[in-house]
């Protein structure tokens, strides 16, 4: 999660069981002046997750991927590159680029 004075970017790996889309929980508390959005990292956390999903075992895939997904935001892989790009856009004030990836903007 990244918070600037007028932006809140919640980065969520799709397989991270600890990550949570916060908008519904805090929607009434969000200022109309605050850019709030979820940014998802969609990559498979590991090869076993990919294999299980391809076999139709989505629940088991998430269980297998949970640890890798929760810690992969800053790995030297595609997840880490996506996270770094989101953080860079936020730091540089590239709001339009953030909104392109934004899920449920407010």
């Amino acid at each position: 999660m990244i918070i600037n004075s007028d932006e809140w970017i919640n980065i969520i790996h799709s397989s991270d069981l600890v990550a949570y889309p916060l908008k519904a929980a805090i929607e009434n508390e969000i200022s109309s002046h605050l850019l709030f959005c979820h940014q998802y990292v969609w990559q498979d956390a590991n090869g076993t997750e990919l294999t299980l999903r391809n076999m139709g075992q989505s629940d088991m895939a998430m269980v297998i991927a949970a640890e890798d997904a929760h810690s992969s935001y800053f790995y030297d892989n595609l997840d880490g590159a996506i996270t770094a790009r989101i953080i860079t856009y936020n730091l540089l004030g590239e709001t339009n680029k953030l909104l392109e990836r934004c899920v449920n903007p407010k």
Side-chain angles (χ1 to χ4, degrees):
M1 165 174 22
I2 304 168
I3 305 172
N4 263 348
S5 60
D6 56 353
E7 298 172 359
W8 184 321
I9 311 301
N10 192 30
I11 303 173
I12 303 170
H13 190 291
S14 59
S15 299
D16 186 351
L17 299 176
V18 178
Y20 182 76
L22 296 171
K23 184 178 181 210
I26 63 172
E27 188 164 20
N28 293 332
E29 306 299 322
I30 300 172
S31 164
S32 62
H33 302 289
L34 179 72
L35 168 66
F36 179 92
C37 66
H38 301 296
Q39 300 277 336
Y40 284 90
V41 177
W42 296 101
Q43 307 308 310
D44 294 306
N46 56 43
T48 306
E49 176 189 15
L50 175 62
T51 301
L52 288 169
R53 274 192 317 97
N54 287 336
M55 295 172 56
Q57 300 294 321
S58 297
D59 291 341
M60 183 60 77
M62 284 193 69
V63 169
I64 294 297
E67 181 180 350
D68 287 340
H70 186 69
S71 59
S72 71
Y73 294 100
F74 296 102
Y75 281 175
D76 185 18
N77 60 16
L78 190 52
D79 293 341
I82 293 169
T83 301
R85 189 175 317 123
I86 293 167
I87 291 169
T88 301
Y89 290 160
N90 189 48
L91 290 173
L92 294 176
E94 297 282 348
T95 306
N96 290 336
K97 290 182 180 179
L98 289 170
L99 289 173
E100 288 174 8
R101 293 184 43 90
C102 191
V103 178
N104 297 327
K106 176 169 172 100

